[in-house]
Amino acid sequence: MHDFRRLRVWQLSRELAAELGKVVQTFPRSDRGVIANQLRRSALSVPANISEGCGDDSRAETLRFLRMAVRSATETENHLVAAADAGFLRREVSDRFIERTVSIQKMLRALIQNLPK
């Protein structure tokens, strides 16, 4: 396809994953890393799937990986809600991260819709 590093959605998802990686380090030990690990893993999966999809010459494979990136972003959204519910994140902080995550989901869906045939 093309250089994934030029995609704004990849850049934003990479920034989000990096920020969330720092945030989860503040989660209490009582979490035993459960929500923290799931949140870190799902957030890192978004840019990883975008890059993997862009590395394939097959449109079908590119679409498959972009769809996985959408699912990983949705999973990240869920884990942010869970972190707020558990009291690990203030609701307003969680909501700001969720807003960014939903924006990434929308960008990915638009990319999927507009991917050249």
Side-chain angles (χ1 to χ4, degrees), residues 16 20 76-77 79-85 89-103:
L16 180 66
L20 288 173
T76 300
E77 181 182 353
H79 297 321
L80 286 164
V81 171
D85 289 347
L89 285 176
R90 289 190 332 268
R91 187 66 62 183
E92 59 272 8
V93 172
S94 175
D95 287 347
R96 282 196 303 271
F97 280 121
I98 288 170
E99 184 178 308
R100 290 170 62 190
T101 303
V102 169
S103 176

Side-chain angles (χ1 to χ4, degrees), residues 6-66:
R6 292 183 177 199
L7 292 174
R8 184 75 179 133
V9 68
W10 178 82
Q11 295 165 2
L12 293 173
S13 63
R14 181 178 152 249
E15 291 168 7
L16 180 66
E19 288 178 43
L20 288 173
K22 292 175 187 171
V23 167
V24 298
Q25 292 176 354
T26 67
F27 286 12
R29 288 185 181 260
S30 63
D31 175 45
R32 292 193 170 94
V34 175
I35 296 174
N37 286 337
Q38 290 294 317
L39 182 54
R40 184 183 304 112
R41 185 194 57 75
S42 64
L44 284 170
S45 215
V46 178
N49 280 308
I50 294 168
S51 63
E52 195 165 354
C54 288
D56 201 305
D57 289 334
S58 162
R59 182 178 190 279
E61 280 297 294
T62 299
L63 286 170
R64 186 171 78 85
F65 281 102
L66 291 176

